[in-house]
Amino acid sequence: MTGVLLLVSCGKREAKDFVDALPAIFPDYTEVTVPHTIAPLNFGVTGATHVQAYIRNNKGKELLAEADEYLCIDPTEWHELLEDGTHLEVEVSVWDDAHPDGATYRPFGIHISSDDIDPNVTYRLIPPGYEGWQEMGIYERNMSNYEVKTLVDNANDRNGCMNCHTPCQGDGNTYVYHLRGEQGATIVHHDGTDDRIDLRALTQGRHGSHPAWHPSQRWIAFSSNDTKQIFYARSKDKIEAFDLWSDLFIYDVKNKRALLDERFTDSLHWESYPCFSPDGRWLYFSTARAVHMPEQACELHYDLVRVPFDAETGQLGATVDTLYSTSQRGGTALIPRVSPDGRYLLYTVAEYGAFNLYHKEADLEMIRIATPQSEAEGMEMSTPKGAIDGLVDCSAINSDDAESYHAWSSNGRWMLFSSKRTDGRYTRLFIAHWDGERWGKPFMLPQQDVKLDIMLMMAYNVAEFRK
Amino acid sequence: MRKGKVHKVKKGLAWHVSPRKLTLCLYALFVLFYVLVVGTRYGAIFRMIEANSWTDEPLWHLCRYPYLGALLYALPMALVGLTLCLFKLRKYAPCTLLVPLCLAYYFAPHLRTEEGGYRLFSTEMEQERQVCNYILLADDKQWEELLETLRKDGNLDTPLGLRYALLAEGALGRLPDALFRYPVHSPDDLLFRGDRSAVSCQFNRQFYENLGVYDEAFHQAMEYGVKQKEGCCLGTLRHLTDYALANGDWKVAEKYLTILADAWLQGSFIEERRATLARVREQMQQAEATCDSTQLLPLRGESFVGLYPLRSEMVRLAYYQEGDAQKTLDYLLCIALLEKNLDTFYKILTQFPNYHQRMLPRNYQEALDILQSQGTAWRDAMQGSYAFYYYNVAIPNGNNDIQMSSLN
C-alpha cells in the first residue's frame, strides 16, 4: 500500500448526486499554485449546511475535512500532504438547499511548488478608501500558519495614521514608514535603531511617500505627493484619487540628507512610485505631464521611465529611458517593480490617473527588460520606446476588478498583490507563482477562519514580503 | 401603643411609621422613580439602540442585541419584585441592601460623562434621543411626523433641526413653497458641507438618499460607520446593503448580508434583501452579458459630489441624473433663490422641462415677479417669450373690437 490514509472516514457522509462542475468555493482555490510551506487553504461554500472535502496528494496521502459551511483543515495533516506531494486533488461534496442529499463536484487540483517563499507578509489594514478611520495598523502575517503580529498601530491615537511600511528587499530589520499628523515623522529603522526624520525640513517642504530602498541600504528614493480624493455621484468606480503635484527625491540614510534633482522636482512633470533595480544601477518611476486636476483627470497618463543611479554619490544619471510610453500605448502605467533577477518589470496599467487601485479596469502587466543573452553580454536589453515585444501574458493573474500594489518575493518566484476581485470594494491579498515563463493561478492569502475575509470591513494595503 | 412604632402628631394627624412601612415607602418611591424617569428614558434608550448611534454607552454591545438590552434594562424591576417578595417574608435587611443595588445598577453605567464625572438629569441624553428620533423618522420616510416632532421639540431653528425640516419638505415636494417659512440664510442650511462629524454624516446620507444619489449615500454611511468607536454598527450595515443593491453592487451587498447574518434579529431584513440581491445579480449579469448600458452604471460618472460649490454640484446632478430629477431641480432652484441669483434661477427654470406648462410654486412665481420688476436683465433674457409679452406688452384698448369687426 503506497498511500497512508491519515483519517479514516468516520464522519464521512455519502452525497447522492454528482455535479460535473467545479464547486463554488470561497476563496477560489481551484487549480492554484501554492508554496510547499503555505498554511492550510481553508475554504467553504456560503450557504451550505454541510461541506466535506477529501484532499489527497499524488503520493496517496489523504485527509478529510468537514464542516457546516467553512472548513478548518488540520494544519499537521495539511503540511504532511504538502511535504510529500507535488500535486493535490480535492473532491468536495456540498449539502445545501439545491442538494439537500448532497452533491459531489468534479475534483480540482492544487499545484504544490517546491519554490521557497518568504515566510511573512506585512500589510496595512485601513477602511476601504474613504476619508475617516478609527483603527489603523501595520501587521506581519506568517504564511506557514496564521500568526499575525502588530508592528505598529494607532491604539494610542485614534486619529493617527501610518503608511507605506517598506522593508529593504524583504529585510525585516531595515524598513521605513511614515507617521502622519502633528507629531508625524518618517521612521527609518536601520542598524537596530529608529531614526525619526523630518523630511519636510530636508526637502523644502516636501514630505515623503512611496519609499523605495536601494539594495545597499544607504539610499531611499521617495516621491512627494499632494494627494486628494473625490467621489463620484453615480459610477462603477466610486473614488477618484489624484495628486495635485508630485516630485522625486533621494534620502541619504548615512548622512541624513536629501538630494533633489531639478529635473524631477519641476512643476511641469509629476513623478511617483520610485523603485530601484535589484542591482541598484537604475531608478525606475512613473512620470506624467502635469495637468489641471481634477478637471483634466482623464488626461493624466503616467509613463514608466528609468534613470541610471550612482550608488556612490546618490546622483541620478543624464539619460532617461522610457519603458512604457503612454503616447504610443495609451493608459497610465504605475508602480514599477523589477524582478529580483532583473529580467522583468511588473507594473499596473489603467485607463488614466495616478491611483489604479480605484479603477476597475486596472490590471497587472509585465515586460521583459533583460534576457539571458543580454546579461551574458553584460548589457541591458534595449527596449524601444513603447515597445510591447517583451510583453508577458498576465491574463492568469488579472480579473475584472482592480489589481494593483504588487511585490516580488526575494527569489523572484512569487508575487504578492492586492485585488478587489472578491467583492469589488475591499482589497484582499493574493499570491501568484512565476515559474520563469508563465504565471500560475493566484491564491488568496489563506485564513484560519475563512469568514474573516468576509467579515473584515478593512482593506489590505501596501503589502510586502518579509523574510 | 406597640413597641417599635413612632408616633408623630402633625396638624392633628397621627403618622404611624414602622420599619416595614418605611421600607415599603422607599420601594414605592424607587418604583415611581424608575417608572417615571427610567421608564420614559427607556423609550429613548430603545430608540437610540434602534438607531445604532449609541456607542459611547458602556453596554454598547447591546446595540447588536436589542432585546437582550431590553432585558437587562428590565432587571432593576425584577430586583424590585424580588425585594417585594423578601419584604413579604419580612426579610427587611436584604431588602435594604437591594435598594442601593437597584440604584447603582441604573446610575453607574449610564450616567458617566466623557469627562469622567457623573450626570443625573442632563439634557445631553435627551438631545441624543431627539437626534436619534429624527434619524429614524427620516429613515422611515415619516416626513410629516418628523416635521411635527421638530416643531414639538422646538428644534426648527437649530442647525440640525432646520436641515431635517428642509429635508422633510424636500422629500414631500414642498420645498419650493415652504423654504422661506424657515429661518434659512444660505444654501449651507440645506446640508452639512465639509463637516465630517457622525451626525452630519448621518444627515448627509439621508439627504443624498432622498435625491437618489446612492453612491454618495453609501460614502456618507461608510464614513459614519468608520467613526464609530466599536466599528460599523448594524444600522450602517443595513444602509450600506441597501445602497449597494440600489447601485447594482451585488457582490459587496452579499458581503454585508453575510456579516448581518451573524447578528441577532436581522432575519427579516436579510430574507428580504437576499431576494432583492438574487434579482439584482441576475439583472446585472444579464446586462453585462448583453452590454446593456441602460442597466449598468457607467465605469466612471460625469459628476462628483462634494467637490464643487453646492449649486454647481446640483446642476451636474440634475443634468446627469437618470429618471425623475424633480427633487434635485428644486434644490437647485432653491439654492439660486437663497443666493439671490435670479438670472441663474431663470436660466435653470427654462432649461429643464419640469416646470413647462405647470403652475409655479409660490416662491418661484415671486422670484419671477421680482425679476420682472427688475427690468433689463430679465427683459433681455425673456425677449420673444410669452412671459415677456404677458408681463411687458400692454394691449391697446378696443383692439379686440377692431379685429372682430374686420373679421366680420
Side-chain angles (χ1 to χ4, degrees):
Chain A
M1 196 171 126
T2 53
V4 179
L5 193 66
L6 289 175
L7 191 73
V8 182
S9 56
C10 51
K12 186 192 169 192
R13 289 197 207 173
E14 284 294 336
K16 282 195 176 170
D17 303 328
F18 176 78
V19 179
D20 191 17
L22 293 175
I25 59 169
F26 177 83
D28 178 8
Y29 289 138
T30 59
E31 305 303 334
V32 295
T33 304
V34 299
H36 58 96
T37 50
I38 195 73
L41 301 185
N42 293 323
F43 62 86
V45 178
T46 305
T49 53
H50 188 74
V51 179
Q52 183 175 284
Y54 277 104
I55 306 172
R56 56 183 76 91
N57 68 11
N58 53 323
K59 298 283 175 63
K61 275 189 180 175
E62 184 179 72
L63 70 83
L64 169 67
E66 54 183 342
D68 289 348
E69 203 172 15
Y70 298 105
L71 302 176
C72 188
I73 300 165
D74 182 88
T76 313
E77 293 177 29
W78 168 265
H79 285 297
E80 281 177 23
L81 288 190
L82 262 56
E83 277 164 21
D84 277 4
T86 57
H87 184 85
L88 298 178
E89 186 185 75
V90 185
E91 185 187 274
V92 179
S93 302
V94 179
W95 282 256
D96 56 13
D97 290 345
H99 300 283
D101 295 323
T104 301
Y105 287 80
R106 191 197 313 154
F108 62 86
I110 293 176
H111 313 287
I112 305 163
S113 168
S114 55
D115 290 328
D116 289 332
I117 189 168
D118 299 320
N120 304 301
V121 290
T122 61
Y123 52 83
R124 181 169 69 142
L125 284 180
I126 52 166
Y130 287 103
E131 296 154 286
W133 67 86
Q134 280 279 343
E135 287 174 42
M136 186 183 288
I138 298 169
Y139 306 93
E140 181 178 292
R141 158 77 196 272
N142 185 320
M143 284 193 289
S144 300
N145 51 46
Y146 306 103
E147 277 176 22
V148 177
K149 65 179 180 190
T150 304
L151 298 180
V152 57
D153 66 16
N154 68 344
N156 294 325
D157 175 14
R158 288 293 183 200
N159 294 317
C161 171
M162 66 283 301
N163 53 20
C164 296
H165 178 272
T166 310
C168 177
Q169 297 187 319
D171 179 358
N173 296 316
T174 307
Y175 55 85
V176 60
Y177 66 94
H178 308 293
L179 290 173
R180 304 296 188 198
E182 283 181 15
Q183 302 297 318
T186 296
I187 312 295
V188 178
H189 186 87
H190 187 248
D191 292 336
T193 56
D194 272 345
D195 282 340
R196 284 178 74 93
I197 312 293
D198 182 3
L199 287 174
R200 284 171 190 258
L202 299 173
T203 60
Q204 298 155 17
R206 293 171 177 85
H207 57 77
S209 299
H210 310 304
W213 283 89
H214 188 268
S216 68
Q217 302 194 355
R218 180 179 167 184
W219 312 99
I220 307 172
F222 287 96
S223 61
S224 183
N225 310 59
D226 184 5
T227 305
K228 306 286 176 201
Q229 58 178 359
I230 49 178
F231 305 93
Y232 285 104
R234 185 173 176 275
S235 177
K236 275 186 189 169
D237 282 345
K238 308 302 177 190
I239 300 171
E240 193 65 66
F242 55 88
D243 291 328
L244 289 177
W245 59 264
S246 61
D247 288 334
L248 199 71
F249 65 89
I250 310 287
Y251 176 71
D252 180 351
V253 176
K254 186 179 169 190
N255 297 314
K256 296 182 181 165
R257 61 184 178 130
L259 306 173
L260 283 78
D261 186 319
E262 280 182 5
R263 291 173 297 164
F264 308 120
T265 53
D266 68 3
S267 58
L268 297 175
H269 292 86
W270 296 341
E271 297 79 15
S272 199
Y273 302 112
C275 164
F276 284 104
S277 60
D279 61 9
R281 290 166 52 208
W282 298 93
L283 180 69
Y284 291 76
F285 56 94
S286 301
T287 180
R289 187 177 54 83
V291 296
H292 195 258
M293 295 299 285
E295 289 79 5
Q296 291 179 295
C298 315
E299 293 164 39
L300 182 61
H301 302 285
Y302 281 82
D303 292 322
L304 278 186
V305 299
R306 68 177 182 185
V307 289
F309 181 76
D310 183 341
E312 292 300 316
T313 62
Q315 297 296 323
L316 296 168
T319 55
V320 180
D321 292 344
T322 303
L323 300 166
Y324 183 108
S325 167
T326 54
S327 62
Q328 293 183 27
R329 292 200 51 204
T332 188
L334 303 168
I335 317 177
R337 292 287 182 269
V338 184
S339 62
D341 60 8
R343 291 180 186 175
Y344 298 94
L345 179 66
L346 184 68
Y347 50 92
T348 63
V349 178
E351 207 176 308
Y352 64 83
F355 290 86
N356 285 353
L357 195 58
Y358 296 119
H359 284 196
K360 275 180 94 72
E361 80 283 4
D363 276 339
L364 291 160
E365 200 172 281
M366 191 163 85
I367 52 171
R368 191 179 299 114
I369 52 174
T371 61
Q373 190 186 351
S374 66
E375 282 170 2
E377 291 167 2
M379 294 170 65
E380 293 284 338
M381 195 174 92
S382 170
T383 310
K385 283 187 177 182
I388 53 170
D389 293 344
L391 206 58
V392 175
D393 179 14
C394 289
S395 56
I397 53 176
N398 287 314
S399 73
D400 290 342
D401 258 300
E403 277 76 36
S404 190
Y405 201 93
H406 43 277
W408 289 96
S409 67
S410 52
N411 63 1
R413 288 301 182 187
W414 302 93
M415 188 264 293
L416 175 70
F417 66 100
S418 12
S419 172
K420 294 186 176 175
R421 65 186 67 182
T422 54
D423 54 39
R425 186 94 53 165
Y426 295 83
T427 45
R428 294 290 178 257
L429 296 182
F430 289 78
I431 297 167
H433 181 246
W434 170 248
D435 70 0
E437 289 183 359
R438 65 184 67 82
W439 289 108
K441 183 178 172 181
F443 64 94
M444 196 160 99
L445 186 67
Q447 302 289 357
Q448 187 163 27
D449 179 0
V450 178
K451 277 188 106 173
L452 182 75
D453 273 326
I454 302 172
M455 306 296 277
L456 187 68
M457 297 277 286
M458 307 282 258
Y460 290 81
N461 182 249
V462 195
E464 298 277 353
F465 281 111
R466 189 168 174 177
K467 289 176 195 164
Chain B
M1 188 190 300
R2 276 183 293 177
K3 193 182 176 185
K5 279 189 180 177
V6 179
H7 285 255
K8 279 189 179 178
V9 178
K10 194 179 180 184
K11 292 184 182 176
L13 289 174
W15 288 70
H16 302 275
V17 184
S18 65
R20 184 172 174 270
K21 280 187 181 169
L22 188 66
T23 318
L24 194 62
C25 284
L26 275 174
Y27 274 103
L29 277 173
F30 177 73
V31 170
L32 190 68
F33 164 80
Y34 196 84
V35 168
L36 286 179
V37 180
V38 184
T40 49
R41 227 171 230 200
Y42 175 73
I45 289 161
F46 204 80
R47 291 297 268 176
M48 288 151 82
I49 289 171
E50 230 179 311
N52 282 309
S53 61
W54 190 30
T55 54
D56 286 344
E57 188 58 48
L59 296 172
W60 67 270
H61 56 276
L62 297 180
C63 296
R64 291 171 190 268
Y65 312 111
Y67 293 107
L68 179 63
L71 193 71
L72 287 177
Y73 277 100
L75 199 60
M77 294 307 286
L79 285 176
V80 169
L82 176 68
T83 50
L84 283 175
C85 290
L86 290 170
F87 181 79
K88 203 163 185 182
L89 297 169
R90 300 183 180 222
K91 308 276 186 195
Y92 300 129
C95 287
T96 318
L97 280 175
L98 280 170
V99 173
L101 189 64
C102 288
L103 289 169
Y105 183 90
Y106 174 70
F107 284 117
H110 302 304
L111 302 181
R112 192 171 57 83
T113 62
E114 283 198 355
E115 292 77 35
Y118 283 83
R119 63 187 183 198
L120 287 177
F121 299 102
S122 74
T123 54
E124 195 180 310
M125 204 172 201
E126 173 59 14
Q127 284 169 353
E128 220 172 309
R129 182 200 68 81
Q130 288 177 350
V131 171
C132 291
N133 206 20
Y134 305 151
I135 293 169
L136 286 171
L137 288 169
D139 273 338
D140 293 345
K141 313 270 185 276
Q142 296 180 39
W143 304 115
E144 294 287 6
E145 200 178 330
L146 173 58
L147 286 169
E148 189 55 36
T149 310
L150 285 164
R151 263 182 223 114
K152 274 187 194 163
D153 293 344
N155 278 341
L156 283 174
D157 55 351
T158 63
L160 184 69
L162 174 63
R163 282 166 178 81
Y164 265 112
L166 296 176
L167 174 67
E169 298 286 7
L172 291 165
R174 302 193 309 225
L175 192 65
D177 281 316
L179 179 63
F180 296 100
R181 286 182 213 143
Y182 297 93
V184 284
H185 299 100
S186 77
D188 291 341
D189 290 331
L190 294 170
L191 78 160
F192 294 99
R193 299 272 286 181
D195 180 352
R196 293 176 187 169
S197 68
V199 172
S200 304
C201 289
Q202 279 282 38
F203 177 83
N204 289 350
R205 169 183 69 75
Q206 293 172 318
F207 178 87
Y208 284 105
E209 181 194 335
N210 182 45
L211 292 182
V213 185
Y214 297 114
D215 271 337
E216 184 57 16
F218 187 100
H219 167 210
Q220 295 292 341
M222 181 69 87
E223 285 301 314
Y224 174 79
V226 163
K227 284 179 200 318
Q228 302 312 299
K229 281 183 184 169
E230 309 298 344
C232 202
C233 59
L234 298 186
T236 298
L237 277 171
R238 290 195 295 266
H239 296 311
L240 290 173
T241 308
D242 281 342
Y243 301 142
L245 285 172
N247 269 337
D249 294 337
W250 61 270
K251 279 186 182 177
V252 79
E254 195 167 35
K255 173 191 176 80
Y256 297 141
L257 285 175
T258 309
I259 298 172
L260 281 167
D262 259 25
W264 289 8
L265 304 164
Q266 306 296 319
S268 59
F269 177 86
I270 292 169
E271 201 177 322
E272 281 171 28
R273 298 316 189 272
R274 282 219 187 275
T276 314
L277 188 141
R279 202 172 55 245
V280 169
R281 177 167 45 195
E282 198 178 330
Q283 271 174 7
M284 289 298 126
Q285 285 171 343
Q286 213 165 27
E288 275 164 19
T290 56
C291 297
D292 181 358
S293 58
T294 58
Q295 294 282 319
L296 297 169
L297 290 178
L299 181 59
R300 280 180 278 278
E302 301 286 349
S303 56
F304 296 105
V305 173
L307 177 64
Y308 307 106
L310 189 58
R311 175 158 54 87
S312 186
E313 178 183 311
M314 287 292 159
V315 170
R316 286 170 166 83
L317 288 180
Y319 189 74
Y320 292 111
Q321 198 159 20
E322 288 196 344
D324 181 21
Q326 182 66 49
K327 283 180 193 166
T328 313
L329 178 63
D330 279 333
Y331 272 106
L332 182 52
L333 290 165
C334 288
I335 288 164
L337 293 185
L338 285 164
E339 289 174 342
K340 299 186 180 177
N341 192 340
L342 294 190
D343 288 341
T344 302
F345 169 81
Y346 180 72
K347 278 178 197 160
I348 296 163
L349 190 68
T350 50
Q351 189 141 2
F352 288 87
N354 301 49
Y355 282 106
H356 290 180
Q357 297 181 329
R358 269 180 64 185
M359 184 178 279
L360 288 176
R362 198 186 71 191
N363 290 324
Y364 294 176
Q365 188 58 57
E366 281 180 20
L368 283 183
D369 290 344
I370 294 167
L371 259 179
Q372 188 240 339
S373 66
Q374 282 177 345
T376 51
W378 184 83
R379 289 168 80 97
D380 293 341
M382 297 281 279
Q383 279 286 358
S385 71
Y386 173 67
F388 181 85
Y389 170 80
Y390 183 81
Y391 284 114
N392 290 280
V393 179
I395 301 168
N397 284 339
N399 198 18
N400 281 348
D401 297 339
I402 297 164
Q403 289 285 332
M404 292 293 280
S405 334
S406 64
L407 278 170
N408 287 333

